[in-house]
Amino acid sequence: VRDWSVCHEMILCCLFGEYQRAYDRAPLCRNLLHRHSGPMGASIAIFYSGFAYVAYARQQKEERGKRIWFAARRARKLSRELKRWSVHGPHNFLGKHLLLEAELAALSGHKSAHPKYIAAIGALREGR
């Protein structure tokens, strides 16, 4: 129960723009991924953890420290997990994966971010 409360706190921090707090809580949500909480619960924890890492990195980008690239690497790893799951359940996981990939592309300044956002929106609409 404690793990879920920390995860819900991280999600709320993401939604209300408290990215430092979300970043601090993201590693604590990893316990959910190793338990049998089901792929839907784990996918929510993975997506918002990845989003917290990217949002924190974007907020701290001016400093160009190691923590930014650690956060981006961690988010990329979580995105790969969603991609792997999307092979078997695209309606549930593909949109989350594509949105996280779009955020990572935007963080890196790639021009591919916009098409990735469009693809993510399309996949999320299909998944409803």
Side-chain angles (χ1 to χ4, degrees):
V1 173
R2 168 126 171 83
D3 294 333
W4 273 111
S5 65
V6 171
C7 189
H8 286 286
E9 183 181 357
M10 178 197 60
I11 291 169
L12 288 171
C13 288
C14 284
L15 294 174
F16 289 101
E18 295 287 331
Y19 302 125
Q20 175 69 51
R21 287 179 64 190
Y23 174 84
D24 293 339
R25 279 145 185 83
L28 303 174
C29 291
R30 276 189 283 187
N31 293 336
L32 290 174
L33 308 180
H34 302 295
R35 293 191 182 149
H36 299 289
S37 61
M40 290 305 291
S43 74
I44 293 167
I46 287 173
F47 173 74
Y48 278 101
S49 293
F51 183 80
Y53 286 125
V54 172
Y56 172 79
R58 188 177 285 174
Q59 201 173 48
Q60 301 296 319
K61 198 170 183 178
E62 294 81 36
E63 294 176 19
R64 294 275 181 194
K66 287 183 180 180
R67 292 183 81 182
I68 293 169
W69 302 118
F70 167 79
R73 263 195 331 267
R74 187 79 186 128
R76 192 161 310 286
K77 182 178 179 182
L78 294 169
S79 178
R80 283 194 304 265
E81 183 76 17
L82 288 171
K83 181 181 181 180
R84 193 180 67 165
W85 290 356
S86 71
V87 171
H88 301 291
H91 280 38
N92 295 324
F93 308 113
L94 183 60
K96 292 178 182 79
H97 160 67
L98 293 173
L99 186 55
L100 206 47
E101 284 295 313
E103 287 289 326
L104 284 163
L107 176 66
S108 300
H110 291 170
K111 293 180 181 180
S112 66
H114 185 263
K116 288 183 179 188
Y117 280 117
I118 300 299
I121 291 167
L124 289 165
R125 282 187 180 153
E126 292 283 323
R128 286 187 191 179

